[in-house]
Amino acid sequence: MRRRRSAMLAAALPAALAATLLTAPAAHAADADIVINEVQSNSATGAPDFIELLNVGTTLVDISGWLLKDSDDTRTLRVPTGTTLGPGGFAVLETDVAGGFGLGADDAARIYAPDGVTLVDAVSWTDHAFTEGRLPDGTGEVVDTQPTPGAPNVAREPVVVEPVESPVVVNEVQSDDAAGGPDWVELLNTGAAPVDVSGWILRDDDDLSALPIASGTVLAPGAFLVVETRDAVTGAGFGLGKADEIRIFTADGTGLVDGYAWTEHATTEGRLPDGSGVFVDTAPTRGAANAVRAVASPVVLNEVESNGDGRGDWIELANTDTVRTVDVSGWTVVDGDPTHEPIVLPEGTTIESGGYLGIITDGDAYDSSFGLGGEEAVTVRDASGAVVDAYAWTAHATTTYGRCPDMTGAFSLTAAGSFELVNACETAEEPEVETEPWPFADEVVPAVAPGRWGDDMSGLDYAADGTLFAVNNDNAEIFELEQTDATQFAIAQSWVPSYPDGTGTPDAEGLTVAGDGAIFLSTERDNAAKGVSRPSVLRVELGADGATTTTHEWNLTTAGALPELGANVGIEAIEWISDADATRLGVLDRSTGSALPYDPAAFGDHFDGVFAISVEQTGLLYVVVLQPSGEVTVLQTASPGPAVEVTMALDWRAGGNALWALCDDLCNSASSELAFVDGQLTAQRDVAAPSTMPAGYTNEGLAIDWCELDPTAVPTVAWISDSAHEGVSLRVAAGGACAVDETPGPGDGGGEVPGGPGDGSGGGDPVTPGAGSGSTDPGASGGSLPRTGAEAPMGALLAAALLLLAGLGLLVARRRA
């Protein structure tokens, strides 16, 4: 309830009437001592609306025949004869009784003397609350209170709600039954143990609505619970509207268990698959497994490619009628995001008998476009809006999902994509991929508060000073993060860049901080034109008060560095590698067809380094030089290990020889470690995600906080995900302390630098010489040495330099972010 006013109101009276009242008998001399003390207009338990009066005076007041009104003068209710109110006494008057009225969301409560003209007190509001009352009683302002009819008022404290983990999910919702049946929500226990849901609270989009689940209600594993949202007997609860939502809270109201929101009625909507999939239009299956709601049609959804195959993401429709062509003009295709506009098939679109129609969803052939995610659904509707077919999945397919047998069977993993061809239904053999266990700290924990970000977080990188930066791929917002303790971060400030001409919304998938402190973003497209590929790198300078300057854009396709790419399968990740590292490691320049060592001087101004980038469509890594003139030179290409089908994030160990390439949920967040071997970027090993990282997390950013001073120190590792799993996008696994080695050097009581020759610690510096160099097995530093070629010295020169600096007392601890 929102107050417009909350004080005793003076009636504006004509002079003659005022004179009459002044000379009238003082039958109600204590009227001013009676105030409206509390009002209930929207009980959470279905209790009646009421107006509570309080006598703040010192004498008894007879309120017999006094008149109650809401905001409408035609609705009145008389106080019963013989009703008196002593000093400090309360009178609770229910309004929605026979001959009375209910109190609405935008309403008022007024009390008049028996003449119906003399206004004693009034309170009005513009929005429902449970109850509102004066604090202090009788004299204070009207505020939100707990319901206390006939007793002193108690302030209602705001409830802080946090998401909670639970196997119980909203599985199906009915908000518009054509037969006039009740609205209901279906819950499902997806876990392996019973869950007591006694007292859990259901709400729609109104925080004041509440419908508790009956005491003693226990959901067995795999069991459904259907709750009608309005009690047919008491009227308690709420109806579900056209644009509404359903939410489940724990019994104390502080834990948000699950929820689902919609913007249009669809009779029923449910998860496919049950319990884990996205919501699609379903046939009403109250208390049973969900089923697609579809009209009879010879056209079926036949195949889905959600991870790009050179064309981009696509679906395939098939006409099972072997005689007649089907006109699909005006049919629509939409994914599981209700905010996306559907693709509308243009006039004249047909599917010949027994034929196929492929639709690239993230292309530029239609007015609308969208990519297909790892947990996603596709719904096809005819020109009338009726559902023809739908399919939902929970993870990207390594090939495609298709009907087997073709056109008639259930969806399964195909052996290969078959755009507008018969599905490849021979058994798809998953490749055997070996990964090593995660080599660093294994305990992955949330690093920001739940709800800090929504979806679409993507790039992540540590700057040279240890500051952690992140980027959102929906609006390109760049975040500087401030570390608050060993595993927690807060947003220090943020910037939203555009293209150099000041327009557009770059789809920023990756981020790296170069040696000059500028931010380089890898982008796939302009989100203001999502169907058009624009695989660009942007250089962004961050200013004060959120100001940015985008100084350069390199479109790698128009520059000839990359082939034509789908709009949503472009440049995913980017990482800056200094010229010092590139020349030390003998990085080869194959741009002219030869294999010569990279020469920075040959490229003039080029930001003092090279860039490693990954491309989603090709699956390849590219080492490139970017020049201010707009020229792009590809020095070499490489592939990650077999466990990484697509690289979503990159991280380079400055001063070392390790490039980490991260896959997302397609590969269960596995990583490849690569190194320059004889100058060529080469995969060394594939590493599984930490055991505490759930397989379905959509990680698209990786940043490793290496310790420059102690190569044996376990680094802190940060991941950021495209989806806010359990409300959180950023997670870390905290490493060990990064401290200065204070062992005295030669000449002052000397000792050996850990990892130096003969140390035997297995923690030697991971730097290897450049062309012609060999390798040793990985040590305690996390295995960042190349594994191919002959054995070679383990960074003896660098170890000696570290020893000399330590003796001079020049080493300074680097801040760990």
Side-chain angles (χ1 to χ4, degrees), residues 211-378:
L211 181 66
I213 295 175
S215 178
T217 305
V218 177
L219 263 180
F224 299 97
L225 173 66
V226 175
V227 181
E228 295 181 1
T229 61
R230 188 179 298 283
D231 191 296
V233 177
T234 66
F238 46 84
L240 296 174
K242 180 178 181 180
D244 211 337
E245 67 177 322
I246 189 71
R247 296 173 292 166
I248 322 172
F249 295 84
T250 53
D252 62 2
T254 64
L256 177 61
V257 177
D258 195 21
Y260 174 63
W262 59 92
T263 56
E264 290 287 342
H265 274 315
T267 306
T268 54
E269 297 176 81
R271 294 183 185 272
L272 281 177
D274 283 272
S276 59
V278 297
F279 278 84
V280 297
D281 293 349
T282 53
T285 55
R286 178 173 171 146
N290 291 337
V292 172
R293 183 174 72 256
V295 297
S297 172
V299 175
V300 297
L301 178 60
N302 197 49
E303 190 175 6
V304 172
E305 167 62 82
S306 67
N307 204 35
D309 66 347
R311 299 177 184 86
D313 295 347
W314 51 266
I315 68 162
E316 177 190 84
L317 304 182
N319 181 3
T320 63
D321 190 326
T322 59
V323 177
R324 288 176 289 274
T325 295
V326 176
D327 187 340
V328 294
S329 303
W331 287 31
T332 60
V333 178
V334 71
D335 64 352
D337 187 337
T339 67
H340 287 167
E341 290 294 324
I343 291 170
V344 181
L345 301 185
E347 189 66 29
T349 305
T350 60
I351 309 176
E352 65 183 12
S353 57
Y356 305 92
L357 174 65
I359 299 169
I360 299 172
T361 65
D362 59 356
D364 55 6
Y366 307 98
D367 291 336
S368 177
S369 67
F370 44 80
L372 299 175
E375 183 177 356
E376 187 66 276
V378 167

Side-chain angles (χ1 to χ4, degrees), residues 397-482:
T398 53
T399 51
T400 63
Y401 294 114
R403 291 188 181 276
C404 288
D406 185 63
M407 296 193 185
T408 61
F411 276 92
S412 62
L413 188 68
T414 65
S418 53
F419 187 80
E420 295 188 337
L421 297 171
V422 174
N423 287 345
C425 288
E426 59 269 24
T427 302
E429 295 185 5
E430 291 285 351
E432 292 283 338
V433 177
E434 292 186 4
T435 57
E436 296 184 13
W438 178 249
F440 308 129
D442 193 67
E443 185 180 359
V444 178
V445 298
V448 291
R452 180 67 65 207
W453 290 302
D455 291 340
D456 300 319
M457 296 306 295
S458 194
L460 198 65
D461 197 33
Y462 280 108
D465 67 355
T467 302
L468 186 60
F469 288 88
V471 70
N472 181 288
N473 63 40
D474 183 60
N475 64 354
E477 186 169 8
I478 299 168
F479 297 90
E480 178 187 333
L481 303 180
E482 178 182 21

Side-chain angles (χ1 to χ4, degrees), residues 445-448 453 460 468 481 489 718-720 728-732:
V445 298
V448 291
W453 290 302
L460 198 65
L468 186 60
L481 303 180
F489 291 82
W719 297 262
I720 204 161
V728 175
S729 298
L730 182 67
R731 288 172 170 80
V732 301

Side-chain angles (χ1 to χ4, degrees), residues 85 99 106 136 141 148 213 260 274 287 327 421 491 586 591 646 706 720 723 741 786:
L85 202 54
D106 185 358
E141 290 293 318
T148 57
I213 295 175
Y260 174 63
D274 283 272
D327 187 340
L421 297 171
I491 298 171
S591 62
V646 59
W706 301 102
I720 204 161
S723 299
D741 176 25

